[in-house]
Amino acid sequence: MKKIDLNGCWTFYEKENGKEMKVTVPGSVLSGLLENKVIPDPYYKRNEYEAFKLFEKDYVFVKKFPVSEDVLKETVRTLVFEGLDTLTEIYVNDCLLAKTDNMHRTYRIDVSEALKEGENELKIVFLSTLKAINEHKCEGDRQVHVTPAGGVYGNHLFRKAHSMFGWDWGPKLPDAGIFRSVYLEARSMPELMDVYVRQSHKDGVAELSFKPEFSQDINEENGSKAEAEVMLYSPSGELIFSSKTKEAAEFTVEDPVLWWPSGYGEQPLYKVVASFDGKTITKYIGLRTLTVSRDKDEWGSEFAFVVNGVKIFAMGADYIPEDCIYSRITEKRQDYLLASAKRANFNCIRVWGGGYYPSDHFYDCCDRLGLIVWQDLMYACNVYEVTEDFKENCRLEAVDNIKRLRHHASLGIWCGNNEIESAWAGWGDFMRESDTLRNDYLVLFEDVLKKAVLETDPDTFWWPSSPSNGGGFNNPSDENNGDAHYWDVWHGRRPFTDYRKHFFRFTSEFGFQSFPGVKTVNTFAEEKDKNIFSPVMESHQKNDSANGKILHYISENFRYPKDFESVLYVSQVLQAMAIKCGTDHFRRNRGRCMGALYWQLNDNWPVASWSSIDYYGRWKALHYMACKFFAPLALSIVKNEDTLEAFLVNESMNKRGYKVRILIKDLRLNTIAEVKSEGFIEPLSSKSAIKVKSPDTDPEK
């Protein structure tokens, strides 16, 4: 097999005016315009609105490349795109070879008849999704009316990251471009496409199977004697298994070194190498069992990750794309973000369904750091017209990404979508949509995509939606079954103590907003803009009435801050207090609740949002506090009307001794009571350590 890398320097131009510019691929319209200094920073002040208009146009990307006689001698020549965003026409030497409409898929296009010896031209026309929305015609019972908060109407029409059309934390910048690698492959043998690794564990041994997957069946005409070589290396680098096979090879690891989530053990990785006809595929796997328990108990049905037979309490946050300009999402940024998550004692990351599937490097990093991945499929808060073509497009998208990710040790769950089942069950705008569209939901998520997951990766737990009670619109927000999203604190303006009224089985979303720090604000605002209700500050706040909500909660908990910078600072302290209050409550009820994933980990531009790490990687107060409220051994205090109670949680595999002391002081800081307790707390448990009657702390008495 021969391979020609087509990344690097391309030219591009707006289709109507023909002015050519250079662009680095992987790259996009926005990255190219910024490289050439044609537009100002879309994140500065209110520039996003002018940048949005750029995507009412079509753009053309062009690459010229040489092809040798040796390449043309191969019988199959394939152009591979690992990421095209989104509506394209693909030409080789002015011959239209394909059209694409899904940024989440890998496209493999036969270019055998179009290539010639010498210089060739690859041209991609990126058609405006905004124009396509305006031109789309749908009438009758499949006409959709819903638009997600902060988004552009019609974003449901395309398999493109919904958040690129705006969200209640992000701008409307529906970029276009080649966002992952592009290359040409030439071969005469069937191509090795994947090696499917499966594992089962029993009685302290791991049974592994390795199945090479080819682009076509190997037969007498194309090389019946050919076999893929599969090798397995131990975490220390020792070759422990080697075999040549066309079908499948099996191997027993007698004393497997197990992979654990962060906080429960180490993250050793075995290396699998498969080779055939000059192509090598390398994967790193962790030997472990990982599923979700739905066992029935006294409250209902639990929802708990189970790793190597141990039920763990998931701690972490929800991840969104790290930038609106995807060429800026580098491995270095991902390393930093995920390392920051581990430093704050995360053991889980939920990849939210309104963006796009992260790169391989993201999951490799989660494997190494011990972060269980809750993986949404890329659907969020939308209603879809499920035509036959749309169903097949979605199925192929799912299979592409499931095959790419199914081997990862960190992969813990496939989830069909974000909040769509619960929306159909109770959101007013969804309830006004047709019964046909409601049935389309069941067809897509509880038939087509469910089958795609279970057939392609039967070893990973499937969940139809988040939140859900298991599907079928069966009370998806049931507190006693499944996972929950809780937003009455924040959207409902309820006090922080309202968390204590609820006993969710697994809280996969709950959040509270804050402003970024002043250093981040300085990157997009001038001095005259430094008022939270200025046009610039409100443009960098995409949640309706959110600035007013922040002031409301400040008034409930603090005196009014003295100046603009103090408002920013206090908002972050407030955010940290809110999430700590919720997390402490969920952890105190370990066993009944088995997960706390707050919304959200990160930002995709400088903005006021629910994030704990801002766009520039600056930790907010929430992330610093998460280091403590997600700590393996953590303490929290609950003040009721007439009692104070201290709780301990031990999310480690070891029994721990403790000594707790509570000092109760009046408002002049005079100690009026002191209570001590000591003892032991069992592994993976919570307990009350001290409970005392609250004394009167009025300084006048």
Side-chain angles (χ1 to χ4, degrees):
M1 188 187 78
K2 298 175 177 62
K3 182 175 180 179
I4 300 174
D5 185 354
L6 297 176
N7 294 320
C9 184
W10 287 52
T11 60
F12 85 111
Y13 55 90
E14 194 266 299
K15 188 178 178 183
E16 297 304 317
N17 67 30
K19 180 182 178 182
E20 288 193 357
M21 295 171 281
K22 302 290 186 183
V23 61
T24 301
V25 168
S28 67
V29 172
L30 276 179
S31 71
L33 293 173
L34 288 166
E35 281 178 35
N36 289 276
K37 301 181 179 179
V38 175
I39 61 169
D41 179 0
Y43 301 166
Y44 186 65
K45 292 177 75 71
R46 292 165 54 83
N47 290 343
E48 56 171 300
Y49 304 111
E50 288 301 312
F52 175 75
K53 297 175 184 177
L54 296 169
F55 299 103
E56 297 170 352
K57 305 173 183 179
D58 303 331
Y59 293 87
V60 181
F61 281 54
V62 178
K63 174 78 171 182
K64 293 184 178 180
F65 61 98
V67 172
S68 67
E69 182 182 358
D70 287 346
V71 170
L72 295 179
K73 285 181 179 178
E74 302 287 350
T75 57
V76 179
R77 296 174 287 280
T78 306
L79 187 61
V80 182
F81 293 95
E82 294 185 353
L84 276 176
D85 179 17
T86 290
L87 301 181
T88 77
E89 297 171 347
I90 300 169
Y91 298 81
V92 173
N93 298 325
D94 291 324
C95 178
L96 176 61
L97 296 181
K99 297 181 179 181
T100 73
D101 59 359
N102 189 331
M103 78 174 290
H104 306 301
R105 285 176 58 185
T106 295
Y107 288 97
R108 307 180 64 84
I109 300 163
D110 186 356
V111 295
S112 298
E113 299 303 317
L115 287 183
K116 62 184 181 181
E117 187 175 354
E119 186 175 79
N120 289 255
E121 182 185 80
L122 169 58
K123 181 172 69 176
I124 306 172
V125 179
F126 290 90
L127 303 172
S128 167
T129 52
L130 297 179
K131 285 198 295 187
I133 287 171
N134 291 332
E135 294 166 1
H136 179 76
K137 303 296 182 185
C138 183
E139 298 178 353
D141 59 2
R142 274 212 166 92
Q143 184 174 2
V144 174
H145 303 90
V146 164
T147 302
V152 172
Y153 173 76
N155 70 65
H156 65 281
L157 293 170
F158 311 111
R159 295 307 301 137
K160 177 179 175 70
H162 295 329
S163 60
M164 296 176 78
F165 293 96
W167 214 260
D168 58 4
W169 36 257
K172 298 178 176 71
L173 292 173
D175 204 358
I178 307 167
F179 73 99
R180 289 193 176 134
S181 288
V182 52
Y183 46 90
L184 179 70
E185 292 180 337
R187 54 185 170 79
S188 296
M189 294 281 284
E191 182 180 1
L192 178 64
M193 305 298 292
D194 192 18
V195 55
Y196 182 21
V197 184
R198 300 185 71 179
Q199 56 181 287
S200 63
H201 294 252
K202 187 177 181 181
D203 299 329
V205 301
E207 300 285 350
L208 303 184
S209 69
F210 309 91
K211 183 180 180 181
E213 296 184 352
F214 297 91
S215 57
Q216 63 191 86
D217 290 338
I218 295 178
N219 52 46
E220 292 184 1
E221 294 182 1
N222 61 28
S224 61
K225 296 180 180 179
E227 296 176 312
E229 183 177 21
V230 179
M231 295 176 286
L232 177 67
Y233 295 84
S234 71
S236 64
E238 177 189 359
L239 177 64
I240 57 176
F241 172 72
S242 180
S243 176
K244 291 185 177 181
T245 181
K246 285 186 297 185
E247 301 296 331
E250 296 181 347
F251 178 65
T252 300
V253 182
E254 296 290 347
D255 190 16
V257 185
L258 296 182
W259 181 95
W260 290 92
S262 179
Y264 301 86
E266 300 301 317
Q267 293 79 46
L269 297 173
Y270 290 72
K271 183 168 74 170
V272 178
V273 179
S275 302
F276 178 77
D277 188 33
K279 181 174 180 178
T280 298
I281 295 174
T282 301
K283 296 184 174 185
Y284 289 88
I285 64 169
L287 302 187
R288 87 291 185 265
T289 61
L290 173 52
T291 188
V292 174
S293 171
R294 299 282 290 121
D295 290 347
K296 293 189 179 299
D297 56 25
E298 60 187 294
W299 302 288
S301 295
E302 71 178 357
F303 194 94
F305 283 111
V306 186
V307 186
N308 301 324
V310 176
K311 293 179 181 178
I312 74 163
F313 189 100
M315 299 181 288
D318 302 301
Y319 163 91
I320 66 170
E322 291 140 86
D323 212 301
C324 299
I325 304 169
Y326 34 62
S327 59
R328 293 179 177 176
I329 303 177
T330 63
E331 291 184 359
K332 183 177 179 180
R333 284 182 69 181
Q334 288 186 335
D335 288 344
Y336 171 80
L337 183 67
L338 294 172
S340 293
K342 180 165 183 173
R343 286 172 61 193
N345 292 307
F346 284 30
N347 59 36
C348 187
I349 294 284
R350 175 176 171 237
V351 179
W352 172 73
Y356 43 86
Y357 300 93
S359 66
D360 294 339
H361 181 79
F362 177 94
Y363 300 93
D364 289 340
C365 200
C366 289
D367 291 345
R368 293 193 302 270
L369 295 175
L371 300 173
I372 294 174
V373 176
W374 173 309
Q375 180 65 59
D376 283 1
L377 301 183
M378 290 299 115
Y379 305 84
C381 304
N382 259 309
V383 176
Y384 302 96
E385 304 168 29
V386 183
T387 63
E388 291 302 313
D389 286 346
F390 190 79
K391 278 196 294 187
E392 181 62 6
N393 198 359
C394 295
R395 187 190 70 82
L396 291 171
E397 168 194 322
V399 171
D400 269 0
N401 288 284
I402 295 165
K403 286 188 173 183
R404 178 168 71 92
L405 303 177
R406 63 189 175 185
H407 70 279
H408 283 282
S410 56
L411 180 63
I413 183 172
W414 290 107
C415 179
N417 64 73
N418 174 76
E419 296 188 339
I420 304 179
E421 184 190 2
S422 57
W424 275 111
W427 294 9
D429 50 353
F430 274 70
M431 302 297 282
R432 290 188 286 272
E433 298 287 357
S434 70
D435 289 341
T436 299
L437 290 170
R438 182 182 175 89
N439 186 67
D440 279 355
Y441 170 89
L442 296 174
V443 169
L444 182 59
F445 293 104
E446 300 195 12
D447 181 32
V448 175
L449 294 176
K450 179 180 180 179
K451 285 179 180 176
V453 171
L454 296 181
E455 290 172 3
T456 313
D457 184 16
D459 301 327
T460 302
F461 184 82
W462 159 257
W463 194 237
S465 183
S466 181
S468 183
N469 180 21
F473 308 124
N474 179 26
N475 192 11
S477 297
D478 184 354
E479 288 193 17
N480 293 313
N481 298 282
D483 70 313
H485 293 190
Y486 178 73
W487 283 104
D488 282 353
V489 174
W490 181 255
H491 288 305
R493 298 197 182 204
R494 298 284 180 85
F496 303 161
T497 53
D498 203 65
Y499 286 118
R500 299 174 189 165
K501 298 177 181 178
H502 302 277
F503 297 88
F504 307 114
R505 308 314 306 265
F506 190 111
T507 316
S508 47
E509 263 194 39
F510 65 110
F512 196 95
Q513 263 208 15
S514 72
F515 295 107
V518 68
K519 288 183 178 179
T520 294
V521 171
N522 287 341
T523 67
F524 65 78
E526 297 178 5
E527 201 63 34
K528 64 182 180 180
D529 303 317
K530 292 182 178 178
N531 180 311
I532 65 170
F533 296 111
S534 72
V536 168
M537 288 298 295
E538 290 204 323
S539 290
H540 289 253
Q541 166 59 275
K542 298 302 183 184
N543 183 217
D544 291 344
S545 305
N547 289 356
K549 284 190 179 79
I550 292 173
L551 291 186
H552 163 76
Y553 279 105
I554 288 176
S555 73
E556 293 292 303
N557 293 275
F558 295 100
R559 294 181 178 177
Y560 191 78
K562 64 180 181 179
D563 54 26
F564 176 77
E565 289 190 23
S566 299
V567 171
L568 305 185
Y569 176 82
V570 171
S571 77
Q572 291 194 21
V573 174
L574 195 69
Q575 178 191 34
M577 290 170 55
I579 303 305
K580 173 177 166 52
C581 185
T583 302
D584 285 347
H585 170 68
F586 302 141
R587 292 192 68 185
R588 283 194 294 269
N589 288 277
R590 191 197 194 282
R592 187 170 184 178
C593 180
M594 289 300 288
L597 308 181
Y598 64 76
W599 184 269
Q600 65 205 70
L601 175 60
N602 60 304
D603 290 322
N604 69 347
W605 75 313
V607 66
S609 80
W610 297 268
S611 70
S612 63
I613 301 177
D614 79 11
Y615 171 74
Y616 292 102
R618 297 181 175 113
W619 289 23
K620 295 182 181 178
L622 169 56
H623 209 78
Y624 287 101
M625 195 171 284
C627 296
K628 294 188 175 182
F629 63 63
F630 280 157
L633 190 65
L635 172 72
S636 63
I637 297 177
V638 179
K639 184 180 184 304
N640 297 311
E641 286 187 7
D642 58 354
T643 61
L644 283 174
E645 191 167 9
F647 286 84
L648 283 171
V649 288
N650 179 14
E651 196 60 31
S652 77
M653 304 285 272
N654 301 309
K655 185 176 182 179
R656 301 289 297 271
Y658 68 84
K659 292 181 180 180
V660 175
R661 181 177 67 151
I662 294 180
L663 296 176
I664 301 173
K665 300 188 178 187
D666 63 22
L667 296 182
R668 294 192 178 114
L669 301 183
N670 298 309
T671 299
I672 58 177
E674 179 178 345
V675 186
K676 297 179 180 179
S677 175
E678 61 181 89
F680 293 90
I681 181 169
E682 296 298 321
L684 310 173
S685 67
S686 68
K687 68 177 291 186
S688 172
I690 298 176
K691 185 174 183 179
V692 297
K693 186 174 181 180
S694 298
D696 191 338
T697 57
D698 186 340
E700 300 301 321
K701 295 183 180 180

